[in-house]
Amino acid sequence: MDIVQFPINTLNFFYEISGVEVGQHFYWQIGGFQVHAQVLITSWIVIAVLLSSATLAVRDPQIVPNGAQNFVEYVLEFVRDLARTQIGEEEYGPWVSFIGTMFLFIFVSNWAGALFPWGIFQLPHGELAAPTNDINTTVALALLTSVAYFYAGLTKRGLGYFGKYIQPTPILLPINILEDFTKPLSLSFRLFGNILADELVVAVL
């Protein structure tokens, strides 16, 4: 009986920890789910800013760019150079849109949290902040990156891609597998921690 009770108590303990929250949050009830409204609202604002900026900049394209079109083309060239440097000259093309979307969403979210006075908008509970100030957003972005990482490997090498786990020696198999599982964890906590610390410093100042 004690042996059975021990894992049940352990599971209950972890379940209680998963319910711990810092501060108050504003939720919407959609169907049978609770949706974190603060993150959705600010994410939609960031997406609207990106879409409207791109639409306005290229609605009347010129052969010789100027003003907003020039800025958008500069950003696109920067993202292309970033993808080319990291992926390589021959393979970077199809990944520009994915890398650009991730980069721009994170960049605008981070600066929106630092520069925009979200506190002027009053909510019943909690307050608005950068989307990347929420661990759910950073985990989702990290998981998208991991899915893209595996998709690229399987597309390029097929099932032979998994051979990298036993390179240079099969002894490293557990470590190589663990490394791929810890990458999303590292990516999500690094971004979340940086933005949370930044907003706390700004709030104190």
Side-chain angles (χ1 to χ4, degrees):
M1 183 65 179
D2 292 338
I3 296 176
V4 175
Q5 193 67 27
F6 174 73
I8 292 176
N9 290 337
T10 305
L11 291 175
N12 287 336
F13 172 73
F14 283 116
Y15 178 76
E16 290 171 2
I17 287 179
S18 68
V20 172
E21 294 181 352
V22 178
Q24 292 184 326
H25 299 281
F26 179 49
Y27 292 100
W28 286 334
Q29 195 73 28
I30 300 178
F33 300 96
Q34 272 192 337
V35 180
H36 200 168
Q38 293 160 260
V39 176
L40 280 182
I41 292 171
T42 52
S43 296
W44 289 340
I45 292 173
V46 169
I47 292 169
V49 167
L50 291 172
L51 288 177
S52 59
S53 300
T55 303
L56 291 174
V58 298
R59 63 179 177 176
D60 185 22
Q62 304 293 324
I63 296 177
V64 179
N66 55 25
Q69 181 185 346
N70 194 28
F71 176 73
V72 169
E73 290 190 11
Y74 171 78
V75 172
L76 178 60
E77 193 61 32
F78 174 80
V79 172
R80 281 179 175 169
D81 288 341
L82 186 67
R84 187 186 296 113
T85 302
Q86 297 299 319
I87 300 175
E89 185 70 35
E90 298 179 357
E91 305 290 339
Y92 84 96
W95 294 99
V96 171
S97 57
F98 176 77
I99 294 172
T101 302
M102 295 283 282
F103 171 79
L104 289 174
F105 179 80
I106 293 172
F107 181 82
V108 175
S109 296
N110 293 350
W111 279 104
L115 300 178
F116 193 81
W118 295 107
I120 63 177
F121 299 102
Q122 298 297 320
L123 298 176
H125 301 287
E127 61 182 16
L128 296 176
T132 46
N133 188 28
D134 188 272
I135 189 67
N136 298 301
T137 303
T138 58
V139 167
L141 294 172
L143 289 176
L144 282 173
T145 304
S146 293
V147 169
Y149 168 75
F150 282 107
Y151 171 78
L154 290 171
T155 302
K156 181 71 176 176
R157 300 183 181 177
L159 293 178
Y161 165 77
F162 294 107
K164 77 183 187 72
Y165 290 106
I166 56 173
Q167 297 295 332
T169 172
I171 298 175
L172 296 177
L173 176 63
I175 297 175
N176 290 333
I177 293 175
L178 185 62
E179 181 184 2
D180 277 347
F181 276 100
T182 55
K183 277 179 183 176
L185 192 65
S186 172
L187 290 172
S188 57
F189 275 99
R190 187 182 306 163
L191 178 58
F192 168 69
N194 287 340
I195 303 308
L196 180 62
D198 177 65
E199 294 201 350
L200 288 174
V201 170
V202 170
V204 169
L205 292 176

